[in-house]
Structures are given as C-alpha cells and as structure tokens.
C-alpha cells in the first residue's frame, strides 16, 4: 500500500486538532459568524454550518476506513491489486 504506516495516528491527530479548533469557537455566535468558502467569495455560510460540514465530512472518512477494514483479506492486498 502507498499509505504511510502512521495513517491511523495521523487521522486521530487531525480529529484532535479539529476538535480543538471547534472548542476554540466557544462563546462565538455560531449562527451569526459568517465564513467565506475556500471555493470562492460568492459562497458563504455560518460557523454552525461549517462545523456541521466538517464533522459530517470527518464521519464520512471514518465510515470509509471502517468499510476498508471489513473487506475480505484486510489488511492483505489482493493479488490483483496493482503495485
């Protein structure tokens, strides 16, 4: 696999960093604080929606990782898998 051996610990570190950033927004009005999307200035959303988007995206990655661990033969690569 091309994935680093530290993939799980890297993911856990990113989760911790995200949680710390979210915690740092305590005291902010999550509905009134507006953010501009990195996609462009025309796209804006509330801090509340940004947190929801980030957590939902994180959950998606977690579900994807869980699905991979449930594949037959995990963690071994299939013989048909290109090197």
């Amino acid at each position: 696999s091309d994935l680093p051996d530290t993939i799980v610990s890297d993911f856990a570190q990113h989760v911790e960093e995200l949680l710390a950033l979210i915690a740092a927004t305590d005291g902010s009005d999550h509905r009134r604080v507006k953010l501009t999307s990195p996609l462009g200035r025309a796209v804006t959303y509330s801090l509340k929606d940004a947190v929801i988007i980030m957590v939902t995206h994180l959950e998606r990655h977690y579900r994807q990782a869980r699905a991979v661990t449930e594949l037959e033969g995990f963690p071994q690569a299939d013989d048909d898998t290109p090197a």
Side-chain angles (χ1 to χ4, degrees):
S1 172
D2 291 336
L3 297 174
D5 293 339
T6 59
I7 191 75
V8 173
S9 61
D10 292 348
F11 182 75
Q13 169 108 20
H14 289 297
V15 170
E16 291 300 319
E17 290 171 3
L18 178 59
L19 292 174
L21 289 170
I22 292 170
T25 68
D26 283 353
S28 298
D29 186 340
H30 289 194
R31 290 187 184 104
R32 295 190 75 172
V33 173
K34 300 296 180 195
L35 302 169
T36 301
S37 171
L39 298 176
R41 294 173 47 184
V43 180
T44 61
Y45 37 82
S46 68
L47 178 55
K48 176 185 175 190
D49 288 339
V51 170
I52 291 169
I53 290 166
M54 288 185 292
V55 170
T56 301
H57 187 78
L58 180 67
E59 289 171 341
R60 177 174 175 252
H61 282 294
Y62 178 76
R63 286 191 307 274
Q64 289 172 328
R66 290 287 303 197
V68 168
T69 66
E70 294 170 2
L71 293 174
E72 184 176 335
F74 177 83
Q76 303 298 322
D78 292 334
D79 291 337
D80 297 335
T81 303

